[in-house]
Amino acid sequence: IKQALSTSWCVALILLCYGLRQTFYAALPRFSSPWVVLPAQLLHGITFGLYWSVGNGFVHEIAPRGLNSAMMGVFGGCNSGGGFLGAFLGGIVYKR
């Protein structure tokens, strides 16, 4: 996919698939079987795998000479920090 589409189109595809995946998760209570989650999980390859690949490639392209490793660290830290922040705030909301 990455070779067939530009970075901008890959990001658009990632966002579209992420929206579809979250919409499907929101509709899960309407289904009687938990097995219907499997089609949504197929989108995980695009929403995470393609995202990580495109993101690392983009960071590699824009990183100044000699700062590639530092930029990759910032990219990884932003991703990890976002997951931590979401889990932390979600816990606060759930507790209330």
Side-chain angles (χ1 to χ4, degrees):
I1 295 174
K2 215 171 111 173
Q3 292 175 345
L5 299 173
S6 67
T7 300
S8 298
W9 280 105
C10 283
V11 170
L13 176 64
I14 292 164
L15 291 173
L16 174 69
C17 289
Y18 192 77
L20 289 171
R21 187 174 170 206
Q22 295 306 315
T23 301
F24 194 89
Y25 286 150
L28 277 179
R30 296 179 185 193
F31 298 106
S32 60
S33 172
W35 290 100
V36 296
V37 76
L38 292 178
Q41 284 301 103
L42 292 175
L43 293 173
H44 181 68
I46 295 174
T47 57
F48 178 75
L50 184 61
Y51 160 73
W52 193 256
S53 177
V54 168
N56 279 313
F58 180 70
V59 168
H60 180 71
E61 287 176 14
I62 66 166
R65 183 180 291 269
L67 294 177
N68 198 19
S69 296
M71 294 292 288
M72 292 293 193
V74 169
F75 177 68
C78 287
N79 282 292
S80 298
F84 168 77
L85 186 62
F88 181 73
L89 294 176
I92 290 173
V93 169
Y94 180 77
K95 192 173 181 178
R96 291 182 186 214

